[in-house]
Amino acid sequence: MRRDDPVRVAVLGCGAIGSLYAAHLARVPGVEVWAADPWREHVAAIERDGLRVTGQADFTAPVHARTHASDLPRCHLGIVATKSLHTADAVTAAREALADAAVVSVQNGVGNEELIAGVLPRVMRGTIVTAGAVTGPGVVRYDAPGDSWLGPFEPRPAEPGEIELLARLLNEGGLRTHAVADARGPQWTKVVFNAATSPLSALTGLTVGQVCTDPALRAQVEVLIREAAAVCAAAGIVLTRDPAEAVEEAIREAFAHKPSMLQDVLARRPTEIGVLNGGIADEGRRVGVLTPAHDSMVALVRGLESSWEQA
């Protein structure tokens, strides 16, 4: 890459998080963003009019958009923001575009990096606590700000300079981002919070704030947090904040937020229960920690999904 060449970034998946990343990066001078998503109307609107951000920010950014990742050009950096169920298909389709790229997962749960590393050579762990929602073709609502963390995926790490470059570009675009030596702590901090609240929201139809302020449901949130914290302790993962603080912050700042798992249930789509509560349970089995509450969440949500097939 010559010094005057644009930094090309591929974004796989233009749901809320992918769209927020794409839009903020696209307004950085010298950055060219290419996004891929199967929703044709969304892609057409982005390609025609740009990607509009509303809510916590208000701007429109120029983003190239395609419905097939195989149509993306060669890129220097990649961001995988698809649902976890689509990780392998997405990175396989983008294999040529990302053959020389450093690629980060900013998806929910754990285990996505392993899938990406099975296809691509240099991988980052990533996590973001920002909340948002796509409200229509070409439009994403920025609901709640939050930091991003990027670090190496240990078995097949990206270069430190690549991690620092992506973090710098995201900061310049308006998303506060930290390049860290070990990103497991931030990643699992988000996983613990999401796994303690999202399935209860999905099963009850309540928002995050409603779940966390209902006494009986809050007790279940705390059980799920305790189990997950025990798994992290046994695995040597140091959380970046007390999950109880994240719960209180969600009540204050995102009371009406419908987590993606609830949105999936309302739309009768497969959820990411397997990489959230299922990921915690799998790690618990690896380190010898029992996780009966997380196992129950997996069974209940998968039972709900099965009911749709029988209806």
Side-chain angles (χ1 to χ4, degrees), residues 84-296:
S84 60
L85 298 171
H86 307 307
T87 302
D89 288 343
V91 295
T92 299
R95 185 197 298 263
E96 185 173 343
L98 299 177
D100 299 318
V103 180
V104 63
S105 164
V106 293
Q107 300 158 281
N108 286 330
V110 291
N112 294 295
E113 293 86 0
E114 285 82 354
L115 294 174
I116 296 169
V119 179
L120 301 172
R122 300 190 311 285
V123 182
M124 307 177 216
R125 289 187 188 274
T127 192
I128 182 171
V129 295
T130 296
V134 174
T135 57
V139 182
V140 59
R141 188 182 65 235
Y142 188 3
D143 288 336
D147 290 12
S148 296
W149 292 265
L150 309 176
F153 173 61
E154 301 79 6
R156 302 198 73 178
E159 297 292 334
E162 295 171 317
I163 298 169
E164 291 165 5
L165 172 61
L166 182 55
R168 177 175 64 79
L169 295 176
L170 286 166
N171 278 307
E172 290 180 15
L175 293 178
R176 190 166 61 183
T177 304
H178 313 276
V180 296
D182 185 351
R184 294 181 305 158
Q187 181 186 41
W188 274 81
T189 298
K190 179 181 179 181
V191 168
V192 171
F193 171 78
N194 284 349
T197 57
S198 292
L200 293 169
S201 181
L203 291 165
T204 62
L206 299 176
T207 68
V208 168
Q210 290 170 325
V211 164
C212 293
T213 53
D214 179 281
L217 293 173
R218 178 61 176 268
Q220 297 306 308
V221 169
E222 292 170 358
V223 169
L224 290 162
I225 287 174
R226 284 197 298 272
E227 283 188 3
V231 170
C232 290
I237 298 168
V238 179
L239 300 179
T240 56
R241 68 182 303 190
D242 184 345
E245 293 179 6
V247 170
E248 294 302 323
E249 182 179 79
I251 293 171
R252 292 193 308 270
E253 300 185 10
F255 190 93
H257 178 61
K258 295 181 179 180
S260 61
M261 192 178 296
L262 173 56
Q263 295 176 40
D264 288 338
V265 166
L266 292 173
R268 295 198 167 194
R269 295 188 297 255
T271 71
E272 294 182 304
I273 192 71
V275 295
L276 284 173
N277 302 79
I280 290 172
D282 287 344
E283 185 67 8
R285 282 185 280 274
R286 188 185 74 82
V287 297
V289 175
L290 296 177
T291 57
H294 287 277
D295 291 332
S296 294

